[in-house]
Amino acid sequence: MINPFTHKYMNGREALGFAILAAIIFVLFPLVLEPFRLNLFGKYLTYAFVAVGLVLCWGVGGILSLGQGVFFGLGGYCMAMFLKLEASSPENTAIQSTPGIPDFMDWNQLTALPWWWEPFNSFAFTIFAVVAVPVVFAFVIGVAMFRRRVGGVYFAIITQAIAAILTILIIGQQGFTGGVNGITDLRTLHGWDIRTDEAKTTLYFVNGVLLFAVLFAAQFVRKSKLGRLLIAMRDQEDRVRFSGYDVANFKIFVFCLGAAFAAIGGAMFTLQVGFMSPSFVGIVPSIEMVIFAAVGGRLSILGAVYGTLLVNWAKTTFSESFPELWLLGLGALFIAVVMAFPNGLAGVWAEQVAPRLRKLWPGNAAAPENTPAE
Amino acid sequence: MLDYNNPNFVLMVEGLTVSFDGFKAVNDLSFYVEPNECRVIIGPNGAGKTTVLDLICGRTKATAGAVAFKGHDLLKMREDQIVHAGVGRKFQTPSVYEDLSVFANLELSYPKGHGVFGALFFRRDQAVRERIEEIAEMIFLKDHLAQKAAFLSHGQKQWLEIGMLLIQDPELLMLDEPVAGMSVAERKKTAELLNRIIADRSVIVIEHDMGFVEDIATRVTVLHQGKVLSEGSMDRVQNDPKVIEVYLGH
């Protein structure tokens, strides 16, 4: 029997899962992948930040956001603004009519840097803004929605609308944002060229470490009383309210946390890929991110990482050979997951693979394990 | 004017009215609950019994009237604030957290760590564990603490929900049909449980089972079409011709 009185933030099996994922990300991939592919996997892993946030918001807390691209994008744009300013030194931009401002501003007849770009000259401010800007934005949305008890499908639709609005805004304000092309031609971080293979490999590892920091944070939340409250809210929101909790606060918190995770992923995306554009902000990428979490298993934070890697790897592989079929394939995959494997890869693992593995393990066969209740 | 601090009553409901698109589910209702009283509300279907509890605990907003509880104006408070003031509510259908263990169900109701960060850094210390075990014993679920609540029987879920209220130690407990859907044996056990837990608090119970009502009621309020039809001891109410006509008669 499970002893409900001991409470650990990570049991042996979960620790093993973390260790295996760490081995894959820090040892296996760098050993077998050439630098170009490694960078590609680094890019995939930036989406995993979003998927982990979605596991907490959607899988655990029941809050489906179809606008996580907004936070991914805001984090990415904050980073891109800093890098762009560094790349737009007066020497580099001497041929422009106004040297010292980003090239797209010059093309759009801007003659001075907008005031809200100024703080992004500071790297410390940028690091702060990468997380703070999306979190404040999520907080405002959260307060406006959850205090009014907007939830479920209405919330999903509104987040989707916000993703669409932000995309339109970015594209429309070309002079300030780089428009549909985004912020491109990013070169150095404090003089360190981020375009070289060595830099990309280093950034891959930085990304991996940050991803694990996020995974540990998610695990902590998941196993805290707040994690159990989220599950309780998903199933019986009224009961939680009448147990004396202000439900809206908890929703706002987890939504902001998901936004923070997504933002870190976005910033790492910009660093590794070298640009940021509205095509990572809008409706399609936001929905893709939900699919990553769904394929991985929306209740499993490690599953979200595997789901992200698998779907993106498939996307790259298939869209290289059959570009026009990929979107259909993605849709079919989503339907298949929803219909046949509602708990995604993690569910298949827990229900099909793990029990068989345990049978193979001598001495373990006699003890079929119950899924422990939280 | 209602004296919110009147020490003779735990709960005072005066002129309470709620109208849904013109239909008055509760219409100018007044009643007063004394300390340690067990008040049973009966009435035919649609009389507004559950709505009255919804109004008191903040689930439904009143159109007019006043509800005073220990100096608080409940109509101006949010659900969770009402709970913290000392009002506990059990729903008609057992609402427990099915995906969580019995232990976790009780733990979430433990009156500590109700803020976001309080919940994030909440520790299961000795006091929490002891209190949960004590309550579990009381609600006959001591051997089921590790079990998922989804696997409990209907009656056990009802007990669990009662336990979740007890752990909050409310001064006013409101129970909506606590024995509905229970077997005879379960019903007996529940009556015994309720008799024990109502001893040191005020309770409002909605119930249809007359045998059960007779067992626990201090006083009975009969509702009909959102209004008080009759009020008093079980004997008095049972012999009231108005009550016999609308409710007990058929």
Side-chain angles (χ1 to χ4, degrees), chain A residues 39-51:
Chain A
N39 177 239
L40 207 55
F41 274 67
K43 184 180 94 174
Y44 301 163
L45 286 175
T46 62
Y47 297 132
F49 288 82
V50 189

Side-chain angles (χ1 to χ4, degrees), chain A residues 121-141:
Chain A
N121 276 309
S122 150
F123 187 60
F125 175 83
T126 304
I127 296 292
F128 167 75
V130 157
V131 177
V133 170
V135 166
V136 168
F137 194 49
F139 183 79
V140 171
I141 298 172

Side-chain angles (χ1 to χ4, degrees), chain B residues 72-233:
Chain B
H72 299 284
D73 178 0
L74 294 191
L75 295 186
K76 289 206 177 78
M77 290 159 72
R78 248 191 354 246
E79 295 96 325
D80 56 295
Q81 295 169 327
I82 294 176
V83 171
H84 289 296
V87 179
R89 163 81 191 270
K90 191 201 157 305
F91 294 100
Q92 196 164 349
T93 49
S95 42
V96 297
Y97 313 126
E98 306 232 325
D99 281 343
L100 298 177
S101 67
V102 169
F103 186 93
N105 265 276
L106 291 169
E107 184 190 53
L108 288 189
S109 311
Y110 187 82
K112 221 181 86 185
H114 278 207
V116 169
F117 294 100
L120 196 56
F121 298 107
F122 178 85
R123 306 292 306 188
R124 275 180 191 173
D125 55 24
Q126 196 61 29
V128 176
R129 277 178 229 153
E130 276 169 13
R131 178 86 175 127
I132 290 175
E133 282 188 68
E134 181 195 330
I135 296 287
E137 172 117 55
M138 219 183 222
I139 57 172
F140 323 112
L141 292 176
K142 195 161 199 280
D143 300 331
H144 297 80
L145 278 174
Q147 202 171 22
K148 251 190 180 188
F151 301 138
L152 296 178
S153 74
H154 178 82
Q156 286 173 322
K157 283 181 192 166
Q158 297 275 37
W159 292 337
L160 176 56
E161 202 185 348
I162 293 173
M164 288 159 72
L165 292 175
L166 281 184
I167 208 164
Q168 293 170 8
D169 198 18
E171 231 165 290
L172 173 66
L173 189 57
M174 303 196 293
L175 308 168
D176 200 344
E177 304 201 20
V179 298
M182 281 189 177
S183 68
V184 178
E186 283 174 331
R187 191 172 295 211
K188 239 188 101 199
K189 261 178 136 178
T190 309
E192 184 193 310
L193 170 66
L194 286 180
N195 266 320
R196 211 151 15 114
I197 64 180
I198 63 180
D200 44 6
R201 70 191 90 232
S202 308
V203 185
I204 301 177
V205 188
I206 294 178
E207 195 44 73
H208 285 296
D209 184 318
M210 283 307 142
F212 184 76
V213 172
E214 219 157 349
D215 247 16
I216 61 166
T218 318
R219 270 197 292 173
V220 178
T221 298
V222 186
L223 284 194
H224 181 53
Q225 295 176 348
K227 288 185 165 169
V228 176
L229 187 71
S230 178
E231 194 171 276
S233 69

Side-chain angles (χ1 to χ4, degrees), chain B residues 3-12 33-36 70-71 171:
Chain B
D3 172 16
Y4 281 87
N5 287 309
N6 188 336
N8 297 325
F9 300 109
V10 171
L11 180 80
M12 292 176 282
V33 180
E34 289 171 16
N36 296 333
K70 288 187 1 190
E171 231 165 290

Side-chain angles (χ1 to χ4, degrees), chain A residues 19-220:
Chain A
I20 291 172
L21 183 66
I24 292 173
I25 290 179
F26 293 116
V27 182
L28 182 69
F29 285 168
L31 283 181
V32 301
L33 297 171
E34 57 199 277
F36 169 74
R37 290 279 162 190
L38 188 66
N39 177 239
L40 207 55
F41 274 67
K43 184 180 94 174
Y44 301 163
L45 286 175
T46 62
Y47 297 132
F49 288 82
V50 189
V52 172
L54 275 167
V55 166
L56 291 183
C57 278
W58 175 41
V60 180
I63 305 161
L64 175 58
S65 163
L66 294 178
Q68 291 305 91
V70 167
F71 309 119
F72 183 83
L74 285 174
Y77 266 97
C78 285
M79 182 54 83
M81 285 162 77
F82 171 77
L83 297 175
K84 189 65 190 172
L85 286 178
E86 195 175 304
S88 309
S89 62
E91 304 85 68
N92 286 341
T93 53
I95 52 162
Q96 291 177 184
S97 36
T98 315
I101 62 171
D103 47 13
F104 60 84
M105 291 187 186
D106 194 57
W107 303 333
N108 286 282
Q109 281 83 44
L110 260 66
T111 52
L113 197 64
W115 62 267
W116 52 274
W117 270 73
E118 293 286 355
F120 288 92
N121 276 309
S122 150
F123 187 60
F125 175 83
T126 304
I127 296 292
F128 167 75
V130 157
V131 177
V133 170
V135 166
V136 168
F137 194 49
F139 183 79
V140 171
I141 298 172
V143 168
M145 296 295 117
F146 299 132
R147 282 259 160 259
R148 288 193 193 126
R149 303 200 178 161
V150 175
V153 66
Y154 301 100
F155 182 76
I157 290 169
I158 286 167
T159 52
Q160 185 153 89
I162 292 170
I165 292 166
L166 190 66
T167 317
I168 294 165
L169 189 72
I170 290 172
I171 293 174
Q173 298 299 315
Q174 193 162 253
F176 300 106
T177 62
V180 73
N181 297 320
I183 299 180
T184 55
D185 197 17
L186 307 175
R187 298 170 190 174
T188 55
L189 176 70
H190 272 313
W192 177 54
D193 195 330
I194 57 171
R195 293 164 299 178
T196 62
D197 279 351
E198 298 82 72
K200 286 186 170 169
T201 306
T202 307
L203 284 171
Y204 172 87
F205 281 103
V206 171
N207 187 47
V209 170
L210 285 173
L211 179 61
F212 266 84
V214 161
L215 286 172
F216 280 115
Q219 175 77 7
F220 176 75

